[in-house]
Amino acid sequence: MEPTPCDIVLDIGGEGRHAEAWNVNRCRTQTLGRHAGEPIPRLIVARADALPFADNCVKSLIVERTPLTRAAARELSRVIQPEGQIVLRHVPLADRDRHEPTLAILGGKAQQRTTKIYGQPVLETKIQFSENVPPPQLPSTEASP
């Protein structure tokens, strides 16, 4: 069944860990876990910096192991619904918060925690938007944050 507009969950860089999500990935096969080498389910071949979706049509975004460029942040901001949620998950860096530049661009209310995925530590930042404060529309630029 195809997702309906304004009711889409996307996993950018996803490989099928979230059953409800459509997986946006450049690769066609899984690279992690016990299903490595198998086709990625519910796959949409695309990149975070060029999402093939209409404005404000995604209710929830998960971004894992995907570069957080300014262009990607612009696309996340463009497709997320005014009351949507974005979850960023990346391996933490020892010397800085890798989500801070993206969070500064996106705004919203954020909560952070460290968790584990496949036994590896992961920094998770959940960003919640409200209809009163929609995600910002960013100017077009290709520079990294």
Side-chain angles (χ1 to χ4, degrees):
M1 181 172 148
E2 292 296 313
T4 58
C6 295
D7 195 22
I8 298 172
V9 176
L10 293 180
D11 187 352
I12 311 291
E15 296 188 354
R17 273 190 338 108
H18 307 285
E20 76 284 6
W22 288 86
N23 298 292
V24 176
N25 205 314
R26 298 181 327 174
C27 301
R28 295 182 182 274
T29 58
Q30 298 178 48
T31 59
L32 297 172
R34 68 179 189 266
H35 298 289
E38 293 181 16
I40 295 174
R42 296 173 54 103
L43 176 65
I44 299 168
V45 178
R47 296 170 44 111
D49 58 4
L51 296 172
F53 299 98
D55 295 356
N56 305 315
C57 71
V58 177
K59 71 177 181 178
S60 181
L61 278 162
I62 304 161
V63 183
E64 298 178 339
R65 301 180 313 121
T66 299
L68 295 172
T69 64
R70 184 176 275 294
R74 185 178 62 249
E75 282 294 273
L76 301 179
S77 176
R78 182 183 67 77
V79 301
I80 195 72
Q81 292 177 0
E83 292 185 347
Q85 174 181 277
I86 297 175
V87 178
L88 307 174
R89 292 186 184 122
H90 294 83
V91 174
L93 300 174
D95 61 337
R96 66 181 173 90
D97 177 352
R98 75 183 322 145
H99 295 160
E100 189 176 323
T102 302
L103 183 56
I105 291 168
L106 293 174
K109 182 178 178 182
Q111 294 179 324
Q112 282 191 326
R113 70 180 182 140
T114 301
T115 186
K116 288 190 176 189
I117 297 177
Y118 296 119
Q120 292 187 338
V122 173
L123 175 64
E124 178 181 86
T125 303
K126 289 185 180 181
I127 306 166
Q128 183 68 50
F129 301 100
S130 89
E131 194 166 2
N132 298 334
V133 184
Q137 298 302 308
L138 303 173
S140 178
T141 178
E142 296 303 316
S144 295

